[in-house]
């Protein structure tokens, strides 16, 4: 299989360019344009833009019957200031590629121009992964119909694992999660006569205790706000942001149902409004797809990393598992590397080559 982009372009320079100009979920127009321009130079058989928002997909068709194999990277960055101190640091205040999506895109670009021996290869540059909305938006886009894969693969760099080592397993790979905004509305009163109003404070106190009683790591209280910043007003309104997490989609649904029932029972006379945000499906690795990843690791002589599956953070790649045999694997970013979403994080350029090699080997195994 040829590698025209890897020969003609400096993938590290591409990553650094992406890192300097991060864009948030749903606003990745500039990133998508840069990727689209680079892909055009690799003569794809089909180039789809505006997919599920700003998504971009390139198809390389062998012209022979066979499976469609999709590899996915993410376009979006985070609303976190870049404090890495590197020469290619973000030039956009308050924004940074602090999860490594710039590196994931560079890895995928290294495959551009490759045509498998049979079937098709699809490179998907997906929008809005950080909010959980991107994968579902891509799947709902009618343009995705002609791209629909038989197999789909993605990687995520993982600080804490040895540099370049690979971790993969069948079954749960990342957790399902959802953010709840719980709004409580009562009635303000004079601080000297709080009994004449209806304060959300007792309900908030009960909520904090209840969340702490749930199974470990299943609920995180992320934000609370109550009342006005004054001393003469007993509060009448409050908002809490809670993240719920489970290993499976069914487990998350049960957790949500139980918490909804608890809130209704404990709201008293308060008006209760619950809205859902940043919903991520669990990622469940198909056994056959995961076996292909592990076989590629073994063939390439890449060390196997020990990892406690599933990854507790969520990854919206799981939405594709309803349509294809999927596998998400983790590529070690170094045992002492800053954590994902840390302001000091920067994707290790040394991972571009092994990440690209893993995807190439998986493609060769499936398409011959």
């Amino acid at each position: 299989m040829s590698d025209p982009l890897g020969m003609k372009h400096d993938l590290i320079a591409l990553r650094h360019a992406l890192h300097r100009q991060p864009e948030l979920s749903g606003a990745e127009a500039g990133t998508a344009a840069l990727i689209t321009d680079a892909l055009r130079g690799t003569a794809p058989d089909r180039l789809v833009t505006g997919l599920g928002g700003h998504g971009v997909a390139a198809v390389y068709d062998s012209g022979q019957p066979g499976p469609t194999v999709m590899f996915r990277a993410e376009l979006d960055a985070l609303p976190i200031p870049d404090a890495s101190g590197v020469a290619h640091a973000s030039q956009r205040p308050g924004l940074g590629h602090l999860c490594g999506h710039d590196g994931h895109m560079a890895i995928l670009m290294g495959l551009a121009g490759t045509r498998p021996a049979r079937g098709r290869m699809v490179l998907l540059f997906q929008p809005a992964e950080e909010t959980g909305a991107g994968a579902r938006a891509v799947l709902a886009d009618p343009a995705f119909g002609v791209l629909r894969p038989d197999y789909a693969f993605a990687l995520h760099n993982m600080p804490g694992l040895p540099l370049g080592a690979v971790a993969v397993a069948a079954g749960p790979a990342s957790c399902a999660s959802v953010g709840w905004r719980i709004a409580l509305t009562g009635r303000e009163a004079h601080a000297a006569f709080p009994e004449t109003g209806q304060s959300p404070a007792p309900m908030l106190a009960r909520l904090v205790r209840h969340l702490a009683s749930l199974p470990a790591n299943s609920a995180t209280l992320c934000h609370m706000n109550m009342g006005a910043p004054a001393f003469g007003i007993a509060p009448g309104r409050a908002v809490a942001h809670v993240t719920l997490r489970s290993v499976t989609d069914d487990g998350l649904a049960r957790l949500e149902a139980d918490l909804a029932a608890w809130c209704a029972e404990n709201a008293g006379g308060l008006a209760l409004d619950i809205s859902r945000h940043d919903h991520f499906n669990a990622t469940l690795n198909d056994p056959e797809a995961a076996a292909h990843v592990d076989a590629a690791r073994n063939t390439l002589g890449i060390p196997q990393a020990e990892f406690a599956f599933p990854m507790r953070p969520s990854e919206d790649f799981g939405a594709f598992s309803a349509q294809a045999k999927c596998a998400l694997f983790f590529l070690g970013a170094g045992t002492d590397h800053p954590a994902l979403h840390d302001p000091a994080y920067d994707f290790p350029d040394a991972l571009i080559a092994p990440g690209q090699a893993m995807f190439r080997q998986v493609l060769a195994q499936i398409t011959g």
Side-chain angles (χ1 to χ4, degrees):
M1 299 179 184
S2 63
D3 180 19
L5 194 71
M7 292 165 50
K8 295 178 181 177
H9 294 262
D10 186 337
L11 296 176
I12 293 176
L14 171 66
R15 188 195 71 86
H16 291 184
L18 292 166
H19 193 94
R20 291 187 190 99
Q21 301 296 323
E23 295 177 304
L24 293 181
S25 303
E28 312 99 334
T31 303
L34 192 159
I35 292 296
T36 300
D37 287 346
L39 288 170
R40 283 199 179 101
T42 68
D45 297 291
R46 183 188 294 266
L47 185 60
V48 182
T49 59
L51 189 62
H54 293 297
V56 181
V59 180
Y60 301 90
D61 197 328
S62 68
Q64 301 298 318
T68 296
V69 183
M70 185 179 84
F71 299 104
R72 186 218 67 167
E74 315 94 318
L75 294 169
D76 51 343
L78 290 158
I80 303 173
D82 184 343
S84 62
V86 296
H88 54 273
S90 171
Q91 296 174 354
R92 293 181 170 163
L95 306 183
H97 265 298
L98 305 178
C99 204
H101 294 178
D102 53 339
H104 301 167
M105 285 185 275
I107 288 170
L108 238 61
M109 288 300 301
L111 302 176
T114 299
R115 283 181 175 76
R118 61 189 183 92
R120 303 184 301 168
M121 179 184 74
V122 176
L123 302 181
L124 172 64
F125 296 83
Q126 179 207 301
E129 187 280 328
E130 294 290 354
T131 65
R136 285 192 292 271
V138 167
L139 285 165
D141 192 321
F144 187 72
V146 298
L147 308 174
R148 197 168 300 278
D150 300 295
Y151 296 87
F153 297 91
L155 64 78
H156 207 294
N157 77 95
M158 187 57 63
L161 299 185
L163 185 69
V166 166
V168 68
S174 68
C175 289
S177 68
V178 67
W180 270 26
R181 182 183 184 273
I182 304 172
L184 304 169
T185 305
R187 188 175 68 258
E188 288 81 5
H190 195 291
F193 306 102
E195 69 277 9
T196 65
Q198 190 172 27
S199 171
M203 167 60 171
L204 277 188
R206 290 193 296 272
L207 177 64
V208 171
R209 290 194 297 271
H210 179 68
L211 294 176
S213 74
L214 297 178
N217 305 318
S218 63
T220 302
L221 181 62
C222 299
H223 168 79
M224 284 199 308
N225 181 278
M226 183 178 70
F231 298 99
I233 307 171
R237 300 170 186 272
V239 172
H241 289 194
V242 177
T243 297
L244 303 176
R245 194 174 308 278
S246 179
V247 172
T248 65
D249 291 335
D250 287 345
L252 182 63
R254 289 192 296 271
L255 189 62
E256 290 193 82
D258 290 347
L259 185 58
W262 184 93
C263 287
E265 292 169 4
N266 285 271
L270 297 167
L272 173 67
D273 181 63
I274 296 172
S275 56
R276 299 171 78 251
H277 308 266
D278 290 14
H279 175 219
F280 291 81
N281 293 104
T283 299
L284 301 177
N285 281 352
D286 174 81
E288 181 186 346
H292 275 299
V293 172
D294 197 50
R297 178 201 61 76
N298 189 55
T299 297
L300 295 169
I302 293 176
Q304 181 177 10
E306 295 297 323
F307 186 76
F309 285 91
M311 174 177 73
R312 197 183 301 172
S314 298
E315 229 288 0
D316 79 349
F317 183 67
F320 292 106
S321 62
Q323 307 290 336
K325 295 179 179 180
C326 292
L328 169 70
F329 66 94
F330 304 116
L331 187 61
T335 55
D336 298 321
H337 199 76
L340 301 174
H341 296 204
D342 187 299
Y345 172 90
D346 183 43
F347 180 88
D349 290 325
L351 295 185
I352 294 176
Q356 182 181 338
M358 283 291 299
F359 283 154
R360 284 187 178 280
Q361 183 60 33
V362 167
L363 181 66
Q365 290 167 185
I366 295 174
T367 64

